[in-house]
Amino acid sequence: QVQLVESGGGLVQPGGSLRLSCVMSGSIFRIYTMGWYRQAPGKQRELVADISSGGKINYVDSVKDRFTISRDNAKSTLYLQMNSLKTEDTAVYYCKGNLYRTEYWGQGTQVTVSS
């Protein structure tokens, strides 16, 4: 059974930083395209960033130059380093593993940016 478990969310002031982690178990992490998504209250879930098994990276425009996605295949772990956080980054953040037509989602971790 494939599981994704996120951690690292919390409350941070505007301009602060957080690092999210997502650990995969039950499958071969390195072959998956991995992504971070977020869902704010009343809004649709959106892609924040993703990274392919080959290391190709995409970011949504609103987080470029502030967020960095990375992966450690030896640890089966996906990361999202978030800097210069803004109030509009407040959301539940989810990680997703995608392999062909198969998707696995984590349970989400809350990120709140507020003074």
Side-chain angles (χ1 to χ4, degrees):
Q1 181 180 0
V2 178
Q3 286 190 315
L4 296 173
V5 179
E6 301 101 331
S7 62
L11 173 64
V12 63
Q13 291 185 341
S17 298
L18 283 175
R19 188 176 82 154
L20 306 183
S21 300
C22 171
V23 179
M24 175 183 280
S25 61
S27 191
I28 305 172
F29 176 81
R30 59 179 171 80
I31 66 176
Y32 284 78
T33 290
M34 299 298 299
W36 287 101
Y37 291 72
R38 66 186 178 186
Q39 188 166 19
K43 294 187 176 181
Q44 290 189 332
R45 191 173 298 187
E46 66 169 352
L47 173 67
V48 175
D50 62 14
I51 179 168
S52 72
S53 57
K56 182 179 178 182
I57 291 173
N58 295 297
Y59 294 100
V60 67
D61 286 346
S62 60
V63 308
K64 284 181 180 177
D65 300 323
R66 299 190 299 123
F67 290 9
T68 302
I69 190 171
S70 61
R71 64 192 298 163
D72 185 336
N73 290 336
K75 295 182 178 180
S76 298
T77 302
L78 177 72
Y79 301 100
L80 185 67
Q81 178 67 43
M82 305 186 293
N83 299 328
S84 302
L85 282 161
K86 304 176 180 180
T87 55
E88 52 262 45
D89 295 317
T90 295
V92 178
Y93 284 71
Y94 301 88
C95 73
K96 185 184 85 168
N98 181 76
L99 180 64
Y100 302 114
R101 296 181 180 178
T102 300
E103 295 182 349
Y104 299 100
W105 289 89
Q107 82 288 350
T109 185
Q110 176 71 47
V111 172
T112 302
V113 185
S114 174
S115 55

